[in-house]
Amino acid sequence: MSRSDSHTYAEQPWFVPPAAETARDVVVIGAGVAGAGAAFSLAEAGFSVRVFERRETAAAETSAHPAAVVMPIISLKPAPVSRYHVAAYELTLQRIRALIERGLDPGWHPCGAVHLLNKPRLQKLYEGLAQTGLPAGIVTALSAAETAEYTGLPLQEPALLFPEAGWLHPPSFVQAQLAHERIRFFPAAPVDAIEPGGPGWRLLDEAGAVMAETPLLVLANAGDCLRFRESDWFPLIRIRGQLAYVAPEHCDRHPRSVICHDGYTVPATGVGHLMGATFDYHRDDDTLDRDDFENLVQRNQALLGLKTQIGALAMRGRVAFRSKCHDHLPMVGAVPDYAATMRDYHDITKGRSFKNYPKAPYVPGLYVTTAHGSRGMISSVMAGRILADQLVGAPAALDETLMAAVHPSRFIVRRLLRRQPPLRAADGRETGDASMNEWR
Ligand SMILES: Cc1cc2nc3c(=O)[nH]c(=O)nc-3n(C[C@H](O)[C@H](O)[C@H](O)COP(=O)(O)OP(=O)(O)OC[C@H]3O[C@@H](n4cnc5c(N)ncnc54)[C@H](O)[C@@H]3O)c2cc1C
């Protein structure tokens, strides 16, 4: 156990949240699921929200998928990633229901999701499901016969079923959230720089002209956070992912639910059966790759009863880039003042009592929601809720351990505790793990 693990969140001054904000105007940069999720939660909490997006429409970058699975990653032991995902999943289902009740269309398809037991980890989870302590209704065990019945496929293996899961159309989900009456959306508005000024922050365009002033600013621009000095140290990794689409007429079988296996299959979307997804840390090109396409289809060949030769299929799909952190959790909350954090806590390995350190230094009025990795649909909703609670000073939706687990300062503090090189070198250069494709 590390020195920080043996202390509660409240005893670790670097994780103490900032005081509540008094202003009620906020600007969000970025209109993917992260920006929309934050904007909606803030609007619900009474804030007047402006969302600035560099593209002509919302959800035009990573969140532009024709379909995305809504489902948590769970584990046998209550690890932070699993606990965060389960809480985020439940909140997302609530949000989807709330949007539908308002007469909005979040593009929701509650067809359930079945996870085949393709890894020893999942087999253990299946056998030990009763001991996981997961809330009732999240996941159940299906026998082989039940799996076949549920999916409508001749599968001969047991599986885990997430009965309330499904898929949504992310652009619809984003638009439904942005339709809130307290949100104003500004498309085609690329923010080139931010600077302290006016009531708190100024947003500048490429020509240096002021686009907006705001007391409160939320960065929801994925890897583009690294453009700003205040957030250029975020340890974000960029991971290429490719999807493949196959028209149903090429298949003999048509699943009734989402199927997760080596990848995942989403049936009957607007682009046909959708197959995901590749993970590539080392490539940065956004053109569709024929080998990736064929590998994805190959994985689904038996499942879908593909009747056309793979080589004869037209290559259809999309490439996008995930932004994530090494620990598979997002960065959410007030943005730490990097230099002040390094200054205040530089000697935390020297045995001084934690209570003698000052409280966490933050950049005034600056917040972030990013690094939602492979589960942006659910993670973005929880992140929005965390931000809204933090800005109004409400009790956090998650317990102290989980709030520490998503706190942006965790990377600075971990490096100090492990005596690792800093994220930003003394000469201002960023350092980091060059073995992966970083967002810079
Ligand atoms: C192949 C693939 C499959 C996936 N499948 C799933 C899935 O099934 N389920 C799931 O939950 N997740 C899935 N994900 C993950 C999910 O897509 C992401 O986590 C999510 O889309 C990230 O949302 P975001 O809002 O952080 O980023 P983005 O969607 O990229 O949004 C950021 C926005 O900020 C804007 N922006 C950036 N810089 C600026 C600036 N300077 N000024 C103004 N605007 C700016 C961008 O234009 C963009 O619209 C998948 C990801 C990939 C790559």
Side-chain angles (χ1 to χ4, degrees), residues 30 33-34 53-54 61 63 65 69 191 224 264 373-377:
V33 285
E53 166 55 50
R54 65 182 170 191
E61 296 206 353
S63 303
H65 311 303
V69 181
V191 180
D224 193 70
Y264 59 90
S374 307
R375 284 292 185 276
M377 301 309 122

Side-chain angles (χ1 to χ4, degrees), residues 22 24 77 85 117 171 191 213 221 224 251 314 337 362 366 377 394 421 440:
T22 50
R24 288 294 175 265
K77 299 221 171 95
H85 277 185
L117 309 180
V191 180
E213 292 187 336
N221 49 334
D224 193 70
C251 309
D337 179 326
Y362 294 100
L366 188 64
M377 301 309 122
R440 44 176 75 97

